[in-house]
Amino acid sequence: MYDFAIAALADKQALYRELDGALDALTADEPDAIANMANAAALLWQYLPDLNWSGFYRAIGETLVLGPFQGKPACIRIPFGSGVCGAAAATRQVQCVADVHAFPGHIACDAASAAELVVPVIHAGRLIAVLDLDSPVAGRFDDADVAGCTMLMKRLAGRIAG
Ligand code: SME
């Protein structure tokens, strides 16, 4: 069992620093990509408030394939360029969407989702996966979440590259 006892910090930068330490502890000695994605998804699910989905899609060819996650069962395959995750994969740019209903082509896996943050995970120039966070709260994600999740995915990238 891991109990990181991370407080619900109002200071997001401090929260992400704590999460970075916890993610490092969870994944540093483990070579298995699935195990590391699973623990990363669970860590974020446990400590980031107001999420209804937290997980990974793996880049396989030009398709994103569902990986380890927490939340409701989700769409399994997303072509690059489709929806928010597909846009992140195609452009390799973070997608921070305040209102998914205004995003062209958004794929509604859970009707409760209102905001979404998708971070590409790149290792040695290769897109490995995308981290997908969904929230029922419109405007849930801000620049601090983008910076924090980008830092976490830099930490994780080499540990899920397989
Ligand atoms: N809404 C995402 C699809 C994945 S689910 O949210 C888990 C999208 O538009 O890419």
Side-chain angles (χ1 to χ4, degrees), residues 56-68:
F56 292 88
Y57 280 89
R58 295 162 298 131
I60 298 177
E62 293 286 303
T63 303
L64 292 170
V65 182
L66 185 63

Side-chain angles (χ1 to χ4, degrees), residues 53 57 74-75 78 82-86 105-110 113 116 118 132 134:
W53 207 87
Y57 280 89
C75 5
I78 300 173
S82 274
V84 186
C85 291
H106 165 248
I107 301 162
C109 290
D110 180 344
S113 296
E116 185 159 1
V118 183
D132 183 17
D134 285 24

